[in-house]
């Protein structure tokens, strides 16, 4: 190794240059996304069976589907929600299973029982991952076009135009009005002429068709012959002949009014207060978000120029802005931290050359990291960039240790050439370099054991850190010495140059001479851990300020779409008066994502201005207060887009979820209300919801079979006519503009018919006589029926809430205390879900990871020094370093969550790394002197590098710890925990470690000298 850097200086230099070029190429070529492209083990099944009652839907659809899906391999949990006419089933699979294979199994099991399900039931199966949600949203606005025209422009101009963009998976059009032709029947004329609605339907079906007659040959050419009786215009529909008996001809226009109308839909879409269609852009799972967003933005600019006059696309959501700002923010933090660390190196080394070596080494390490990440298929996201930013302190640590060793050796022997010293310096340092690097790497390996969403994302973070640290080792081992050579003059300093000797200080001799004083420091640190940990706030995943709000709302059960819209118009006014709101859109009767939604529910997507003085949570609180004061009947729930997205992919959107299991649905509703009332009194809760979703009231028509038989009618015949009166019946289509426009036969009042008139609606008998519906049926009005929730085939009530101003741990402590006062009936139980359940599971796994990581560090040190006592000393010192982390978290009021817990684990490896260099130096000095002098000399030599590495790492992580910038909050807890550990590492390495070494080696130093 002594001659390695001299002999291969030029080839290594060329390789380093190639690494820089390759790193730059990888940096510009890597895909960019918000989070790693992780496939979540969740499959959602939605079944639609018209407007069936909840209890019938449960028996005929939900339970058979649940029983079938329960047989699928790798199934961990199954949840279902049954509503009027629809059910939503979520199948949670094991992490690590093949979700594509799991989806095929689910579809196969459903196919096996499809014949036993009600005819006409529609079943949709989707695997859930972030790519199914839109990344960009536009509203199609116009002051000259009506909603029907706008939807047609959206469907036949905007959608095809944007769909051709590379990386776009789907372009969904939401809202607007669907065009249809209506035959509005005149009952009096039909009664006079003895024409039934079925006669009109039959006439249209016998006329409106195109049918093949077969092939014919003429002059050696083959012709397909067809009979084309298709209706093509509204006039043809009006003039369609119903009867043409002798002496009279009856057309459609004689007994009905034919018009163009909007299809009745129980969905209402608005953007910025206007009834307009929304355009949602969904990207391909593996496409580059920034590139896709850039291309979509360019194409929208082009599209706005060619759309009809007065029509334009207006953006209301762009996830790429948040991602771009997040990546830029973390990169800025990375470079600022690096610059601060370089300044510290200059201050300590007082050498431009040594500092320049570090300045060149760090970009080389980052280049090699980018190259490796690109090669293994990683992309730029908030976790990978955050990992590099968090590891920058360790990268600087590695570089400083080697540079300081080279610089110190050159100071000690100024009369010798650099090329004569560099090989021996690295050879001396190499065993400790390997062991110290392994200490920081092996501590991260057990994160592979972590499961759930935290494991999915933080495993990517730790993998990225491992790649970064491995690259750092190779660059500092092979590349840094060559850089140092290239920047050195090929001649020794003058013979009169002053030889450098590490200066010893009185405090070193004082603590080495009185090693038992360090027990006081140890006691203080242990007390700090014992005192701080119970007082720490706790959470699950670190919070982020996304700059966007999801506002879910519910109007009272059974509220009409028009009344719900009137209430929401007041919410629109509140949003328009809120200065932080940039744009908003709302959906009623539907929601973002893949859900069943009642007509009285929906959501807002609110985009905030980037430059504002209030946080997203503060803006949400203000809007909540105004809504609760202005529209108290409206139930609201506030969240953030990405947080809600992660919640959708897990089992609960809200962080607080209490599940009450039992057998009696009515009793569960009562308990849910009781639990919700109790939770509302707990400080720190907001948007408490008892989970009781009530479908609107129902009017049941019970046919009188005897009466129907008397008039030659069936229940199905009766139902068809009632449907024609209320909702209308589609009896044909007219082809136009690449679509088939429905022809709907309907009566004038249709869905505005009052119940009293509903009962007296005239039913046409097969003989053409019109009689009131009340002669053929009786009626029953039922109040709203609640949705039924189940988990693993057991009925449950689900109460949810969000956090407001307090941490998850303290709020859950208050909730558990309150709920302990509730008396549950026999066989009923309360189970805590949501983020709390995820937190408890993750913390349990992280504790195992901490123990296993500590054992791995212990093993590395044991192989390095071959001494059980020294290995136990290193691991003891490293664990004490946690005290600095927990105190830092306590002082900054940072919760203990997955991010900060990861920082606690990392600090064990970091302190273990620095301990190795100190012990190595001590054992080297022990060969020439006694224990006390060896310790003082080792401390003198290691003082500067220890101060440089600690202060350099703290400076590098300090911008990240401030949490300034978009997305930086994700890694702020980790940075704070690591900085706290680095601060306490200094007294541990400079006072406690030497004192323990003095005690354990005092007895027989000769043994250690012999081993070394």
């Amino acid at each position: 190794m002594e001659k390695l850097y001299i002999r291969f200086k030029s080839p290594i230099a060329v390789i380093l240059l190639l690494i820089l070029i390759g790193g730059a190429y990888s940096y510009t070529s890597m895909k960019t996304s918000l989070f790693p492209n992780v496939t979540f083990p969740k499959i959602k099944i939605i079944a639609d069976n018209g407007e069936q009652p909840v209890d019938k839907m449960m028996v005929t659809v939900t339970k058979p589907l649940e029983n079938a899906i329960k047989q699928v391999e790798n199934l961990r949990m199954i949840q279902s929600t049954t509503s009027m006419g629809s059910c939503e089933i979520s199948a949670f699979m094991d992490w690590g299973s093949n979700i594509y294979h799991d989806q095929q199994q689910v579809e196969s099991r459903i196919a096996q029982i499809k014949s036993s399900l009600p005819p006409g039931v529609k079943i949709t199966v989707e695997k859930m991952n972030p790519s199914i949600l839109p990344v960009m949203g536009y509203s199609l606005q116009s002051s000259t076009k009506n909603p029907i025209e706008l939807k047609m422009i959206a469907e036949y101009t905007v959608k095809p135009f944007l769909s051709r963009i590379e990386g776009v998976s789907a372009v969904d059009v939401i809202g607007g009005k669907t065009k249809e032709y209506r035959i509005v029947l005149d009952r009096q004329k039909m009664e006079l002429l003895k024409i039934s609605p079925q006669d009109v339907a039959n006439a249209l079906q016998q006329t409106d068709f195109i049918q093949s007659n077969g092939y014919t040959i003429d002059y050696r050419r083959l012709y397909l012959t067809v009979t084309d009786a298709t209706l093509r215009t509204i006039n043809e529909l009006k003039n369609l002949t119903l009867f043409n008996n002798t002496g009279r001809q009856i057309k459609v226009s004689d007994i009905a009014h034919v018009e163009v109308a909007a299809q009745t839909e129980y969905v209402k879409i608005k953007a910025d207060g206007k009834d307009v269609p929304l355009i949602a852009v969904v990207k391909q799972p593996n496409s580059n978000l920034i590139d896709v967003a850039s291309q979509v933005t360019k194409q929208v600019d082009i599209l706005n120029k060619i759309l009809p006059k007065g029509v334009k696309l207006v953006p209301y959501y762009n996830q790429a802005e948040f991602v771009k700002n997040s990546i830029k923010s973390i990169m800025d933090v990375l470079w600022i931290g690096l610059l601060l660390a370089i300044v510290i190196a200059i201050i300590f080394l007082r050498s431009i050359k040594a500092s320049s070596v570090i300045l060149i080494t760090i970009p080389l390490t980052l280049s090699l990291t980018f190259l490796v990440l690109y090669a293994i298929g990683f992309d730029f996201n908030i976790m990978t960039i955050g990992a590099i930013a968090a590891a920058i302190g360790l990268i600087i640590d590695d570089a400083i240790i080697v540079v300081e060793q080279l610089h110190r050796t050159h100071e000690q022997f100024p009369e010798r050439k650099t090329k004569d010293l560099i090989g021996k310096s690295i050879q001396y340092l190499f065993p400790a370099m390997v062991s110290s690097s392994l200490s920081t790497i092996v501590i991260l390996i057990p994160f592979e054991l972590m499961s759930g969403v935290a494991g999915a994302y933080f495993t990517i973070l730790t993998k990225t850190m491992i790649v970064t640290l491995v690259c750092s080792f190779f660059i500092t081992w092979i590349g840094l010495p060559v850089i140092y050579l290239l920047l050195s003059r090929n001649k020794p300093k003058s013979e009169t140059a002053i030889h450098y000797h590490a200066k010893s200080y009185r405090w070193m001799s004082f603590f080495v001479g009185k090693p038992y004083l360090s027990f006081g420091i140890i006691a203080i640190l242990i007390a700090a851990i014992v005192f701080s940990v119970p007082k720490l706030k706790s959470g699950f995943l670190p919070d982020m300020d996304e700059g966007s709000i999801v506002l879910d709302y519910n109007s009272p059960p059974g509220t009409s779409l028009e009344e719900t819209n009137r209430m929401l118009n007041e919410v629109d006014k509140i949003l328009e008066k809120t200065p932080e709101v940039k744009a908003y859109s709302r959906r009623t009767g539907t929601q973002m994502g893949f859900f069943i939604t009642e007509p009285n529910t929906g959501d807002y997507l609110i985009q905030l201005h980037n430059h504002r003085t209030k946080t997203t949570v503060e803006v949400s609180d203000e809007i909540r207060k105004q809504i609760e004061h202005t529209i108290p009947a409206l139930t609201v729930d506030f969240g953030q887009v990405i947080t809600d997205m992660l919640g959708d992919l897990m089992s609960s959107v809200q962080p607080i979820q209490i599940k009450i299991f039992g057998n009696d649905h009515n009793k569960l509703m009562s308990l849910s209300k009781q639990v919700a009332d109790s939770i509302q009194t707990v400080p720190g809760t907001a948007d408490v919801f008892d989970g009781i979703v009530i479908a609107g009231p129902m009017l049941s028509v019970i046919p009188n079979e005897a009466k129907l038989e008397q008039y030659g009618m069936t229940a199905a015949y009766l139902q068809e006519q009632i449907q024609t009166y209320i909702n209308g019946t589609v009896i044909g289509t007219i082809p136009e503009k690449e679509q088939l426009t429905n022809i709907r036969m309907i009566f004038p009042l249709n869905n505005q018919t009052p119940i009293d008139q509903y009962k007296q609606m005239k039913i046409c008998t097969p003989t053409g006589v019109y009689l009131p519906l009340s002669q053929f049926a009786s009626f029953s009005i039922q109040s709203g029926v609640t949705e039924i929730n189940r988990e693993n085939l057991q009925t449950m009530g689900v109460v949810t809430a969000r956090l407001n101003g307090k941490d998850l741990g303290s709020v859950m402590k208050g909730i558990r205390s309150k709920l302990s006062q509730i008396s549950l009936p026999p066989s009923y139980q309360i189970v805590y879900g949501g983020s709390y359940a995820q937190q408890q599971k993750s913390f349990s796994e992280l504790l195992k990871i901490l123990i296993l990581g500590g054992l791995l560090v212990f093993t590395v040190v044991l192989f390095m020094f071959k001494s059980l006592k020294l290995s136990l000393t290193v691991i003891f010192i490293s664990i004490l370093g946690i005290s600095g982390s927990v105190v830092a978290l306590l002082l900054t009021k940072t919760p203990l969550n997955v991010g900060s817990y990861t920082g606690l684990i990392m600090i064990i490896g970091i302190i273990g790394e620095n301990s190795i260099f100190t012990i190595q130096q001590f054992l080297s000095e022990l060969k020439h002197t006694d224990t006390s002098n060896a310790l003082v000399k080792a401390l003198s030599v290691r003082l500067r590098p220890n101060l440089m590495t600690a202060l350099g790492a703290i400076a590098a992580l300090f911008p990240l710890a401030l949490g300034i910038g978009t997305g930086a909050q994700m890694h702020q807890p980790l940075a704070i925990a690591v900085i706290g550990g680095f601060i306490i590492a200094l007294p541990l390495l400079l006072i406690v470690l030497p004192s323990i070494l003095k005690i354990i080696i005092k007895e027989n130093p000769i043994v250690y000298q012999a081993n070394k």
Side-chain angles (χ1 to χ4, degrees):
M1 188 178 292
E2 286 188 31
K3 302 296 183 182
L4 172 69
Y5 307 106
I6 306 301
R7 292 174 58 190
F8 296 99
K9 182 175 72 172
S10 297
I12 291 174
V14 172
I15 291 172
L16 295 178
L17 180 62
L18 291 176
I19 287 173
L20 272 177
I21 297 170
Y25 171 78
S26 302
Y27 179 80
T28 57
S29 302
M30 286 176 72
K31 297 174 183 176
T32 306
S33 59
L34 177 60
F35 284 112
N37 185 26
V38 174
T39 300
F40 283 71
K42 179 178 180 180
I43 298 170
K44 187 173 281 190
I45 303 95
I46 289 184
D48 192 340
N49 193 30
E51 299 299 327
Q52 296 294 320
V54 174
D55 52 354
K56 183 179 179 182
M57 190 72 189
M58 170 62 72
V59 174
T60 60
V61 179
T62 305
K63 285 188 175 181
L65 285 175
E66 284 181 336
N67 291 327
I69 296 167
K70 198 79 170 76
Q71 301 174 47
V72 172
E73 293 179 16
N74 302 319
L75 183 72
R76 182 169 51 86
M77 181 176 68
I78 183 169
Q79 291 180 338
S80 70
T81 299
T82 306
S83 183
M84 190 180 292
S86 57
C87 75
E88 175 186 307
I89 300 174
S90 296
F92 297 89
M93 318 307 291
D94 287 331
W95 282 91
S97 66
N98 188 324
I99 194 67
Y100 300 96
H101 181 253
D102 294 337
Q103 183 181 1
Q104 290 175 354
Q105 285 197 66
V106 169
E107 291 170 339
S108 174
R109 290 291 182 182
I110 292 173
Q112 291 175 14
I113 64 157
K114 189 71 182 288
S115 59
S116 64
L117 297 175
V121 62
K122 298 176 182 177
I123 300 174
T124 308
V125 180
E126 287 281 356
K127 60 182 180 297
M128 302 299 291
N129 58 62
S131 64
I132 70 170
L133 299 174
V135 295
M136 300 183 76
Y138 292 87
S139 59
L140 188 64
Q141 301 186 8
S142 172
S143 57
T144 59
K145 302 290 184 182
N146 61 45
I148 292 177
E149 293 172 314
L150 284 176
K151 182 156 188 177
M152 293 186 72
I153 292 171
E155 288 283 3
Y156 300 107
T157 302
V158 176
K159 184 174 181 176
F161 196 92
L162 297 181
S163 295
R164 68 189 187 186
I165 298 172
E166 184 179 356
V168 170
S169 170
V171 178
D172 298 327
V173 178
I174 311 162
K177 298 293 183 182
T178 303
K179 177 183 177 182
E180 67 178 11
Y181 292 99
R182 284 193 173 182
I183 301 174
V184 185
L185 302 173
D186 187 323
R187 187 190 56 76
Q188 292 179 342
K189 290 181 179 180
M190 294 179 67
E191 187 174 357
L192 182 65
L193 296 171
K194 294 187 180 298
I195 297 175
S196 70
Q198 190 61 44
D199 293 333
V200 180
N202 291 339
L204 191 65
Q205 289 167 3
Q206 290 173 11
T207 304
D208 186 24
F209 68 88
I210 179 170
Q211 189 69 38
S212 169
N213 304 317
Y215 288 96
T216 187
I217 299 174
D218 184 33
Y219 288 98
R220 300 180 182 178
R221 294 184 68 83
L222 185 66
Y223 292 86
L224 173 66
T225 65
V226 296
T227 299
D228 187 355
T230 307
L231 296 175
R232 301 187 182 278
T233 66
I234 190 171
N235 288 329
E236 290 182 8
L237 180 58
K238 290 178 180 179
N239 296 322
L240 178 67
T241 301
L242 298 177
F243 293 99
N244 192 8
N245 296 334
T246 305
R248 71 170 186 173
Q249 184 185 48
I250 301 174
K251 299 178 180 180
V252 169
S253 57
D254 295 330
I255 53 91
H257 171 65
V258 181
E259 63 183 12
V260 176
Q263 179 179 317
T264 301
E265 295 175 317
Y266 295 95
V267 172
K268 198 166 188 67
I269 306 296
K270 278 195 171 187
D272 299 328
K274 301 173 184 176
D275 289 319
V276 293
L278 303 181
I279 314 296
V281 180
V282 182
K283 77 175 188 72
Q284 293 281 359
N286 295 318
S287 60
N288 189 327
L289 173 60
I290 303 297
D291 289 347
V292 170
S294 176
Q295 289 300 314
V296 169
T297 303
K298 290 178 183 177
Q299 293 302 314
V300 165
D301 290 339
I302 296 171
L303 194 54
N304 276 331
K305 296 175 183 177
I306 62 176
L307 286 173
K309 187 177 180 180
V311 179
K312 63 177 180 178
L313 286 165
V314 178
Y316 67 86
Y317 176 65
N318 187 353
Q319 190 185 92
E321 287 184 5
F322 176 75
V323 174
K324 193 185 300 182
N325 292 336
S326 297
I327 301 298
K328 181 180 180 300
S329 174
I330 296 177
M331 290 300 292
D332 289 345
V333 162
L334 191 154
W335 293 116
I336 292 170
L338 175 60
L339 182 62
L340 292 174
I342 296 298
V343 170
I344 287 173
I346 293 174
I347 292 171
F348 274 92
L349 296 177
R350 288 170 292 182
S351 168
I352 299 298
K353 180 181 77 173
S355 302
S356 300
V357 171
I358 296 174
L359 187 61
I360 296 170
T361 300
I362 304 304
L364 272 169
T365 301
L366 294 178
S367 295
L368 184 58
T369 301
F370 294 147
L371 197 59
V372 175
L373 292 177
Y374 179 71
I376 62 178
F378 278 32
D379 57 9
F380 276 139
N381 54 63
I382 202 166
M383 301 310 291
T384 52
I385 293 296
I388 295 171
I392 196 71
L394 301 179
I395 297 173
I396 292 169
D397 193 0
D398 290 344
I400 284 175
I401 287 171
V402 177
V403 167
E404 197 277 338
Q405 176 71 25
L406 295 174
H407 187 67
R408 178 162 45 84
T409 305
H410 205 51
E411 287 176 326
Q412 290 174 341
F413 305 100
E415 73 282 356
R416 299 181 63 179
K417 294 181 179 180
T418 302
K419 66 178 183 179
D420 297 331
L421 298 173
I422 199 162
K424 291 182 178 179
S425 297
I426 299 299
Q427 188 174 24
Y428 166 76
L429 207 58
F430 185 71
M433 284 175 61
V434 173
S435 299
S436 63
S437 295
L438 282 175
S439 294
T440 52
I441 290 170
V442 298
I443 198 76
L444 300 171
I445 292 175
F447 276 89
E448 288 291 329
L449 302 175
M450 201 169 179
S451 62
V453 63
Y457 287 148
F458 277 83
T459 299
I460 298 293
L461 181 140
T462 53
K463 283 180 178 178
T464 305
M465 291 187 74
I466 288 172
V467 168
T468 305
L469 295 175
V470 170
C471 293
S472 175
F473 170 76
F474 280 104
I475 292 295
T476 52
W477 170 37
I478 297 175
L480 189 149
V482 171
I483 297 169
Y484 194 88
L485 272 174
L486 292 172
L487 296 181
S488 300
R489 292 177 297 176
N490 192 23
K491 58 181 181 179
K493 292 183 180 181
S494 64
E495 294 181 2
T496 59
I498 300 173
H499 289 243
Y500 169 82
H501 294 286
K503 184 180 177 181
S504 62
Y505 296 89
R506 291 180 62 186
W507 61 267
M508 297 178 180
S509 301
F510 176 78
F511 282 106
V512 168
K514 297 179 174 58
Y516 293 100
L517 289 176
S518 64
F519 288 157
I521 298 175
I522 294 171
I524 292 171
L525 296 182
I526 293 174
I529 296 174
V530 174
F531 172 80
S532 300
V533 171
K535 294 184 179 297
L536 284 178
K537 298 178 179 180
S538 66
F540 177 41
L541 293 175
D543 296 323
M544 287 193 300
D545 190 324
E546 303 171 21
S548 56
I549 300 170
V550 175
L551 193 170
D552 295 320
Y553 55 82
N554 295 272
S555 60
T559 305
S560 67
L561 190 63
E562 290 72 19
E563 177 60 17
T564 300
N565 185 59
R566 186 196 65 78
M567 298 166 69
L568 295 174
N569 286 337
E570 297 301 315
V571 179
D572 292 349
K573 293 176 184 177
I574 292 171
L575 295 178
E576 287 162 7
K577 291 178 183 177
T578 305
E580 291 81 11
V581 173
K582 178 181 179 182
Y584 67 90
S585 63
R586 71 164 150 101
R587 289 145 288 275
T588 306
T590 184
Q591 287 178 285
M592 288 193 306
F594 192 52
F595 302 98
I596 57 173
T597 310
E598 298 291 340
N600 65 313
T601 64
D603 63 25
Y604 278 87
L605 175 55
I606 304 167
Q607 188 74 34
L608 304 182
H609 289 287
N610 288 334
H611 304 290
R612 60 186 190 280
T613 57
K614 296 177 182 176
T615 65
T616 301
V617 173
E618 290 171 342
V619 176
S620 297
D621 287 342
E622 286 190 3
I623 297 172
R624 179 190 289 111
K625 290 175 184 176
Q626 293 184 60
I627 292 174
E628 289 174 348
H629 179 263
T630 309
I631 319 122
L634 198 68
T635 304
V636 294
D637 176 42
F638 285 81
Q640 298 191 66
V641 176
I642 296 163
T643 307
D644 270 29
M645 177 195 75
L646 292 177
D648 292 340
L649 296 172
M650 296 186 288
S651 58
S652 174
V653 174
Q654 289 80 8
I656 300 171
Q657 183 190 53
I658 294 94
K659 297 181 279 191
I660 309 117
F661 290 94
N663 301 320
D664 188 333
H665 182 57
N666 293 326
K667 183 63 178 176
L668 286 172
M669 284 195 297
S670 174
L671 287 170
S672 296
K673 290 178 180 178
Q674 190 177 352
V675 168
D677 290 341
S678 297
I679 290 175
Q680 283 181 329
T681 63
V682 177
T685 59
D687 302 334
V688 178
F689 179 50
D690 58 18
I692 300 173
V693 178
I694 302 176
M698 182 170 62
L699 173 63
S700 298
V701 179
I702 300 105
N704 186 325
E705 295 291 344
K707 278 283 186 182
L708 291 174
E709 289 178 8
Q710 183 181 340
Y711 285 90
M713 298 162 60
T714 63
Y717 182 88
L718 180 68
Q719 188 275 331
E720 287 175 5
Q721 291 204 45
I722 296 174
Q723 179 180 326
T724 302
Y725 264 93
I726 302 302
N727 194 48
T729 305
V730 176
I731 57 175
T733 57
I734 293 180
E736 53 185 6
K737 289 187 178 180
E738 303 179 8
Q739 72 165 354
L740 294 174
T741 303
N742 288 335
I743 302 171
R744 186 179 298 273
M745 179 174 63
I746 199 168
F747 281 87
L749 284 179
N750 49 75
N751 65 344
Q752 303 296 318
T753 304
I755 290 178
D756 288 340
Q757 292 186 36
Y758 185 98
K759 294 178 180 179
Q760 299 305 316
M761 73 172 62
K762 294 298 183 70
I763 302 297
C764 183
T765 65
T767 60
V769 178
Y770 281 78
L771 297 172
L773 174 60
S774 57
Q775 286 196 20
F776 303 102
S778 58
F779 305 92
S780 171
I781 297 179
Q782 301 177 17
S783 59
V785 181
T786 59
E787 290 182 352
I788 300 175
N789 295 303
R790 284 157 59 91
E791 181 176 294
N792 291 333
L793 311 185
Q794 187 175 10
T795 307
M796 66 175 179
V798 182
V799 180
T800 59
R802 291 191 184 273
L803 301 172
N804 187 22
K806 296 196 75 175
D807 64 288
L808 178 63
S810 60
V811 170
M812 287 304 301
K813 184 178 180 181
I815 288 174
R816 293 175 74 97
S817 175
K818 285 284 184 182
L819 298 190
S820 64
Q821 302 170 16
I822 295 177
S823 177
L824 295 177
S827 76
Y828 283 70
Q829 63 170 331
I830 288 177
V831 176
Y832 297 95
S835 296
Y836 179 72
Q838 294 279 342
Q839 179 212 53
Q840 295 300 300
K841 182 181 179 184
S842 295
F843 278 16
S844 173
E845 292 174 341
L846 285 167
L847 180 60
K848 295 174 184 175
I849 290 168
L850 189 149
I851 294 170
L852 182 56
L855 290 174
L856 290 174
V857 172
F858 171 80
T859 304
V860 169
V861 178
L862 188 60
F863 271 93
M864 171 71 185
F865 296 117
K866 306 176 187 64
S867 167
L868 188 60
K869 287 184 178 180
L870 288 179
S871 302
L872 289 172
T873 299
V874 170
I875 203 65
F876 177 66
I877 292 291
S878 302
I879 292 173
L880 282 179
I882 292 176
S883 61
S885 299
V886 295
V887 170
L889 295 175
L890 183 64
L891 293 176
T892 57
K893 298 181 180 179
T894 303
L896 181 64
N897 51 39
V898 175
S900 50
Y901 212 134
T902 302
L904 298 184
I905 295 170
M906 284 176 57
I907 206 66
I908 293 177
I910 292 168
I911 295 179
E913 173 189 21
N914 285 281
S915 299
I916 288 172
F917 286 105
T918 300
I919 294 174
Q920 184 203 34
Q921 187 68 43
F922 162 66
L923 293 176
S924 176
E925 298 292 344
L926 192 60
K927 296 176 182 178
H928 310 292
T929 185
D930 59 44
T931 303
S932 296
N933 285 328
L935 284 170
V936 172
K937 288 186 178 181
L939 283 178
S940 303
V941 171
R942 296 304 306 166
L943 178 62
R944 184 170 68 178
N946 280 340
L947 288 172
M948 286 176 64
T949 55
L951 295 177
I954 290 169
L957 290 170
F958 187 70
L960 192 64
L962 292 177
I964 298 173
T966 308
Q969 300 93 342
M970 173 63 76
H971 303 292
Q972 185 182 20
L974 185 150
I976 290 172
V978 173
I979 286 176
F982 265 116
I983 291 172
I984 210 66
L986 289 174
L988 284 172
L989 293 170
L990 299 175
I991 298 175
V992 177
L993 177 60
S995 299
I996 295 177
L997 291 176
K998 175 69 179 295
I999 293 170
I1000 65 173
I1001 297 179
K1002 180 180 178 182
E1003 300 172 1
N1004 194 5
I1006 299 173
V1007 175
Y1008 289 90
Q1009 293 178 27
N1011 287 339
K1012 294 295 168 183

